[in-house]
């Protein structure tokens, strides 16, 4: 059903690609087709590995007295469409073609047809999955959009699950992703602008925005940055593109763009004036600009009652705070236990371990990361067993043999829960890096090291800018009361709409 509903959109995106090809003509050295078919075939086979690559299918055809040559990629072509089109052409007795375009309009009934004059346009069309036909005596060729893509269904994303709401997610096929967003925003001002990145891969990249909502200066900046990319391929798809268009400092782990696999999240951000970048072969979309507070919100907040959504958001803020400072703060308290008030003395370990508390916390941090990495590489059927062995048995045994204290295990478990309560994996890992740096500084310099770590974290976050020079701490700095209240409280939709006016 999904394939049938969205199949016609392949035709739309193909026409966009053809327009893009036409716009590029004249910008480089293009070799045009000849009216001699044998010469054209020779040039095609010199540019494409027709005889070496098994999936490049080519054959000669005769439409009456007219000789033609067809080439396409196996696996992309719609066999029945090509079969019917060729049968129809071969059942007619053509002697010559006087007007090529009129001949195409009169004899090829397929909807998405275009012509080309140069070999570069032909090669990109073939490698994109189209079928190309070159005819004897004509210096133009025919491009037939007879392609289909291998694709999986839009399943719910693993990283952004909700208890209530839509269960569809972005997939690796770019046209499906644009369709999922278009289904939610039927606005004629919603634009999907196609570009190509990568000298070898020719990866399709779509910039999506709503004309009267998006920042034109930011749009122009993004277009310029993408056009100026000089790279062979986007190896890691959207992540590679994000690193190419957003300038980063090596010591700053904070994400400067938000990634989402949910079409409803992408649509909501488009309606707020953000720009969404979609890369073919990736189920994630890039949302820009993004600030610190964008990573603290989740779809779950809006699928619940405003009061419940506000409570969930506050709990999330608390969990993020715990994941930032709990273990370094606990270490400071142990170093300064003589100054603690009586009601906090319960946090001090009752039993001594054979390993210093700083080393315990440091290795528990590493152990938590090892467990996370191992769970990624573990088959789903065994992940529960890994959690039991790694999370319960090993920690219990470590306490029994005196390596770590029960309190250290407890607080590290709280930190782990707080980390995974964060809706953005990239943001959670950045917070984890800051926590580890602060823990090491605290272990070496004690209270002074803790203060240095906190100051370093605050300075890095406050001096970070998102793309387009948007302050990372907005709406706190610079202060915007209405926007900040919408971050702290999950307000009713009608009230948010009034605040925007």
């Amino acid at each position: 059903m999904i394939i049938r509903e969205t199949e016609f959109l392949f035709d739309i995106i193909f026409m966009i690609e053809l327009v893009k090809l036409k716009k590029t003509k004249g910008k480089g050295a293009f070799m045009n087709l000849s009216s001699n078919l044998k010469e054209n075939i020779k040039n095609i086979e010199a540019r494409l590995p027709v005889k070496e690559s098994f999936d490049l299918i080519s054959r000669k055809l005769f439409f009456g007295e007219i000789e033609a040559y067809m080439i396409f990629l196996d696996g992309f072509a719609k066999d029945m469409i090509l079969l019917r089109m060729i049968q129809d052409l071969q059942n007619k007795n053509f002697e010559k073609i006087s007007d090529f375009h009129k001949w195409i309009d009169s004899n090829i009934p397929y909807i998405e047809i275009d012509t080309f004059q140069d070999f570069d346009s032909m090669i990109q069309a073939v490698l994109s999955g189209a079928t190309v036909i070159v005819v004897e005596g004509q210096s133009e060729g025919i491009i037939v959009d007879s392609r289909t893509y291998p694709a999986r269904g839009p399943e719910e994303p693993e990283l952004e699950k909700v208890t209530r709401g839509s269960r569809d997610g972005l997939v690796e096929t770019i046209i499906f992703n644009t369709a999922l967003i278009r289904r939610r925003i039927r606005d004629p001002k919603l634009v999907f602008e196609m570009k190509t990145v990568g000298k070898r891969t020719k990866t399709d990249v779509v910039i999506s925005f709503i004309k009267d909502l998006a920042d034109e200066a930011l749009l122009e900046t993004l277009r310029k940055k993408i056009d100026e990319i000089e790279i062979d391929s986007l190896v890691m798809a959207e992540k590679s593109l994000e690193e190419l268009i957003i300038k980063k400092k090596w010591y700053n782990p904070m994400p400067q763009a938000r990634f989402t696999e949910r079409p409803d999240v992408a649509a909501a951000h488009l309606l707020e004036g953000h720009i969404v970048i979609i890369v073919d072969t990736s189920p994630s979309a890039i949302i820009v600009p993004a600030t610190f507070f964008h990573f603290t919100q989740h779809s779950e907040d809006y699928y619940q009652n405003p009061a419940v959504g506000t409570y969930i958001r506050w709990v999330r803020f608390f969990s993020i705070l715990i994941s930032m400072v709990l273990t370094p703060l606990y270490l400071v308290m142990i170093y300064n236990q003589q100054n603690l008030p009586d009601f906090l003395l319960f946090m001090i370990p009752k039993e001594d371990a054979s390993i210093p508390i700083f080393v315990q916390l440091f290795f528990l941090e590493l152990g938590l990361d090892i467990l996370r990495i191992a769970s990624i590489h573990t088959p789903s059927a065994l992940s529960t067993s890994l959690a039991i062995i790694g999370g319960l048995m090993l920690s219990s045994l470590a306490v029994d043999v005196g390596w770590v204290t029960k309190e250290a295990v407890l607080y590290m478990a709280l930190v782990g829960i707080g980390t995974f309560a964060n809706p953005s994996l990239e943001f959670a890992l950045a917070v984890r890096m800051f926590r580890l740096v602060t823990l090491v500084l605290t272990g070496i310099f004690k209270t002074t090291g803790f203060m240095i770590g906190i100051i370093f974290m605050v300075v890095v976050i406050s001096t970070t800018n998102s793309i387009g020079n948007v302050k990372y701490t907005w709406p706190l700095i610079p202060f915007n009361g209405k926007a900040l209240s919408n971050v702290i409280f999950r307000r009713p939709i009608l009230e948010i709409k009034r605040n925007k006016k």
Side-chain angles (χ1 to χ4, degrees):
M1 177 63 72
I2 294 171
I3 299 297
R4 287 199 301 268
E5 288 179 351
T6 59
E7 191 177 35
F8 76 97
L9 289 167
F10 289 113
D11 302 332
I12 298 173
I13 204 69
F14 184 73
M15 291 306 296
I16 294 173
E17 290 180 356
L18 292 178
V19 171
K20 182 176 62 177
L21 284 172
K22 288 181 177 180
K23 288 181 179 179
T24 61
K25 290 182 180 180
K27 294 183 179 181
F30 286 86
M31 181 176 180
N32 290 330
L33 269 70
S34 165
S35 58
N36 186 299
L37 181 61
K38 290 183 180 180
E39 185 178 336
N40 288 334
I41 294 173
K42 182 179 178 180
N43 284 320
I44 291 171
E45 292 181 349
R47 287 167 169 75
L48 290 172
V50 178
K51 296 179 180 179
E52 292 85 7
S53 187
F54 80 95
D55 62 337
L56 267 171
I57 309 299
S58 65
R59 62 168 298 187
K60 291 183 179 179
L61 301 168
F62 285 91
F63 307 141
E65 299 297 325
I66 300 171
E67 187 177 359
Y69 177 82
M70 180 174 68
I71 183 169
F72 60 91
L73 276 174
D74 193 13
F76 286 94
K78 299 175 185 175
D79 296 341
M80 293 306 299
I81 290 175
L82 288 178
L83 178 63
R84 291 180 59 185
M85 185 178 67
I86 293 170
Q87 280 180 336
D88 186 57
L89 289 171
Q90 289 183 330
N91 286 334
K92 297 178 180 177
N93 189 21
F94 299 110
E95 293 183 0
K96 65 176 181 177
I97 300 174
S98 55
D99 188 328
F100 190 52
H101 288 272
K102 184 177 180 180
W103 181 84
I104 292 172
D105 295 338
S106 303
N107 296 285
I108 301 181
Y110 192 64
I111 298 170
E112 296 300 333
I113 298 289
D114 200 48
T115 59
F116 67 94
Q117 295 179 338
D118 60 88
F119 287 101
D120 294 295
S121 300
M122 182 222 68
I123 290 169
Q124 184 162 343
V126 171
L127 296 179
S128 297
T131 299
V132 165
I133 301 175
V134 183
V135 181
E136 174 64 49
Q138 304 299 323
S139 58
E140 286 186 274
I142 307 169
I143 298 177
V144 183
D145 177 15
S146 59
R147 63 178 173 173
T148 185
Y149 283 122
R152 64 180 176 90
E155 302 167 354
E156 184 177 15
E158 287 290 328
L159 292 177
E160 299 176 87
K161 289 184 177 181
V162 292
T163 55
R164 186 184 302 277
S166 61
R167 303 296 178 187
D168 55 351
L170 301 179
V171 296
E172 290 78 8
T173 309
I174 197 169
I175 186 61
F176 279 23
N177 294 336
T178 56
L180 289 168
I181 296 173
R182 178 73 74 178
R183 185 179 181 185
R184 289 168 167 81
I185 306 177
R186 300 176 183 179
D187 188 338
K189 293 184 179 180
L190 173 61
V191 176
F192 293 108
E193 188 175 300
M194 179 74 78
K195 291 187 177 292
T196 301
V197 177
K199 294 178 182 178
R200 293 185 180 273
T201 58
K202 306 289 185 184
T203 305
D204 290 329
V205 174
V206 165
I207 304 174
S208 54
F209 57 93
I210 299 178
K211 279 185 179 180
D212 56 345
L213 297 179
D215 184 350
E216 284 295 332
L218 178 57
L219 259 177
E220 193 56 38
T221 299
L222 282 172
R223 290 189 186 112
K224 185 178 179 182
K225 285 180 176 290
I226 293 175
D227 288 338
E228 290 176 350
I229 292 174
E230 294 288 338
I231 196 169
D232 285 343
S233 65
L234 295 177
V235 179
M236 304 305 296
E238 83 290 347
K239 181 58 183 172
S240 298
L241 182 68
E242 182 249 354
E243 291 186 6
L244 290 167
I245 63 176
I246 299 179
K247 183 181 289 186
K248 291 177 175 288
K249 296 177 180 177
W250 65 268
Y251 58 82
N252 186 352
M254 300 304 294
Q256 292 167 268
R258 184 177 179 182
F259 297 91
T260 184
E261 295 183 33
R262 296 187 62 91
D264 54 350
V265 172
H269 281 80
L270 284 170
L271 292 167
E272 291 177 358
H274 292 260
I275 299 169
V276 176
I277 304 173
I278 308 169
V279 181
D280 195 25
T281 73
S282 172
S284 296
I286 305 172
I287 299 173
V288 290
T291 68
F292 178 92
F293 295 101
H294 281 107
F295 301 101
T296 64
Q297 301 180 51
H298 190 264
S299 303
E300 183 72 13
D301 303 349
Y302 294 95
Y303 282 118
Q304 303 294 340
N305 182 278
V308 176
T310 299
Y311 169 73
I312 293 172
R313 188 170 291 182
W314 288 358
V315 170
R316 188 178 301 117
F317 288 152
F318 180 68
S319 69
I320 292 172
L321 181 62
I322 285 177
S323 66
M324 279 184 171
V325 299
L326 182 60
T327 48
L329 182 61
Y330 173 61
L331 188 58
V332 167
M333 293 174 68
I334 291 176
Y335 288 151
N336 297 276
Q337 54 184 291
Q338 68 277 5
N339 299 322
L340 289 179
D342 292 341
F343 68 90
L344 290 178
L345 290 177
F346 74 94
M347 300 183 70
I348 306 303
K350 304 299 185 296
E351 301 176 0
D352 292 332
S354 57
I355 300 176
I357 187 65
F358 163 60
V359 179
Q360 292 180 42
L361 292 173
F362 182 78
F363 280 107
L364 284 172
E365 286 274 8
L366 294 183
L368 188 65
D369 278 337
I370 292 170
L371 185 61
R372 180 183 64 84
I373 294 169
S375 66
I376 293 173
H377 302 301
T378 303
S380 300
L382 301 177
S383 58
T384 303
S385 302
L386 176 68
I388 294 172
I389 294 172
L392 297 177
M393 293 182 62
L394 290 180
S395 60
S396 177
L397 289 171
V399 171
D400 290 342
V401 299
W403 285 8
V404 295
T405 63
K406 296 178 182 178
E407 290 83 359
V409 173
L410 172 63
Y411 297 130
M412 185 53 62
L414 290 175
V415 164
I417 293 171
T419 299
F420 293 118
N422 196 308
S424 169
L425 178 62
E426 293 79 19
F427 185 76
L429 292 177
V431 167
R432 180 246 177 278
M433 293 296 295
F434 280 126
R435 184 180 71 246
L436 186 58
V437 169
T438 306
L439 179 66
V440 171
L441 289 172
T442 305
I444 298 173
F445 302 108
K446 299 187 177 180
T447 305
T448 304
F450 177 77
M451 297 303 297
I452 292 172
I454 296 298
I455 292 171
F456 172 73
M457 179 168 55
V458 171
V459 169
V460 169
I461 293 174
S462 60
T463 56
T464 299
N465 286 336
S466 184
I467 190 169
N469 289 324
V470 176
K471 289 296 292 182
Y472 204 63
T473 51
W474 184 89
L476 183 61
I477 303 171
F479 184 76
N480 185 317
K482 287 184 178 180
L484 185 61
S485 68
N486 289 336
V487 169
I488 298 173
F489 302 96
R490 189 304 213 187
R491 298 189 181 279
I493 299 298
L494 188 61
E495 189 173 336
I496 294 175
K497 183 179 179 180
R498 284 199 297 267
N499 286 345
K500 287 183 177 180
K501 292 182 178 179

